[in-house]
Amino acid sequence: ENNYSVSEFKSDSEKIIQNLHKKNKIPILCWGTWLYIDSLIYDFNIPKIPADWSLRNKLENEAKEFWNQYLYEKLIKIDPEYAKTLHQNNLNYVIRAIEVKTISWKSKSEFIQKKVAKYDVLFITPYDLDRNKLYERINNRVDIMFDSGLLEEVKNLLKNYDKNNISMKTIWYEETIKYIYW
């Protein structure tokens, strides 16, 4: 059971891109998580702070017991500048921000650099800035995913992976797990 961090993704992807460029090939990156894409394209500084699993578990348990707002208020107390950049329900980011501040005594803001793309990038997205249409598409997609067996897929994955494994915290899986354990 391995967790695949943003830092590892960035390092592995850069090697692949360099290899493709040497062969005069154009890499195509298809991914749904902007943090991973941003780390690669914009080359921002990723805090080299290892995960503190006991702290994360403690914070996750606090969120379950006292809700997300409780952790968010905790972050506001120790890192108000960075807290302003997050939504209280972005629990993984709130937890990581608390973790970084607790371990390094530095705000995650101190690790952020100006975003300058290090590659020529063409972004292609179906999003046309119509939020109502976006939410309608998301709702339809969720219905299709459940009709296509998402619930059964997640239940089968939970036979082999702990629900706290980082791969189980991806979009749709995390929400489905919450639904299962509700």
Side-chain angles (χ1 to χ4, degrees):
E1 180 177 314
N2 292 332
N3 291 320
Y4 194 60
S5 70
V6 175
S7 180
E8 292 167 315
F9 168 81
K10 178 181 175 183
S11 177
D12 291 346
S13 298
E14 285 174 337
K15 290 173 191 168
I16 293 167
I17 289 171
Q18 288 170 2
N19 216 4
L20 289 170
H21 282 166
K22 286 177 189 173
K23 297 175 184 177
N24 291 321
K25 294 187 177 188
I26 298 172
I28 297 174
L29 181 65
C30 301
W31 195 275
T33 306
W34 281 110
L35 175 63
Y36 283 67
I37 293 171
D38 280 356
S39 74
L40 179 64
I41 293 171
Y42 296 111
D43 197 27
F44 63 74
N45 190 10
I46 300 170
K48 301 283 189 244
I49 296 161
D52 181 335
W53 293 105
S54 63
L55 176 60
R56 282 187 189 186
N57 289 334
K58 176 183 173 274
L59 294 171
E60 286 174 358
N61 288 333
E62 287 177 6
K64 287 176 191 165
E65 186 174 348
F66 304 113
W67 303 95
N68 295 354
Q69 179 67 28
Y70 177 81
L71 280 190
Y72 187 71
E73 288 172 7
K74 196 178 248 196
L75 178 60
I76 289 171
K77 287 178 187 169
I78 64 171
D79 192 354
E81 179 186 346
Y82 190 71
K84 287 183 216 170
T85 70
L86 299 177
H87 188 280
Q88 73 180 27
N89 290 334
N90 195 342
L91 189 59
N92 290 337
Y93 281 55
V94 170
I95 288 173
R96 180 61 176 160
I98 293 170
E99 181 182 44
V100 167
K101 183 69 174 187
T102 302
I103 294 170
S104 72
W105 295 91
K106 291 183 179 180
S107 167
K108 276 200 74 180
S109 301
E110 294 179 53
F111 295 97
I112 297 171
Q113 300 166 335
K114 185 178 177 188
K115 285 186 172 185
V116 177
K118 65 183 212 176
Y119 303 107
D120 290 329
V121 179
L122 171 64
F123 289 100
I124 300 173
T125 178
Y127 182 50
D128 65 0
L129 302 178
D130 181 338
R131 296 200 59 84
N132 289 331
K133 197 179 343 175
L134 174 66
Y135 290 133
E136 184 179 325
R137 290 183 69 197
I138 291 170
N139 289 336
N140 289 336
R141 180 173 173 159
V142 170
D143 289 342
I144 291 168
M145 291 170 68
F146 268 86
D147 290 345
S148 299
L150 177 64
L151 187 58
E152 294 76 20
E153 176 183 340
V154 172
K155 284 180 178 178
N156 284 328
L157 287 169
L158 289 171
K159 292 176 186 173
N160 297 311
Y161 299 97
D162 184 87
K163 68 181 179 177
N164 295 314
N165 181 292
I166 197 156
S167 63
M168 299 304 287
K169 293 189 175 286
T170 59
I171 192 164
W172 308 124
Y173 283 178
E174 184 172 29
E175 291 78 10
T176 305
I177 289 168
K178 286 177 184 174
Y179 172 78
I180 291 169
Y181 287 97
W182 185 261

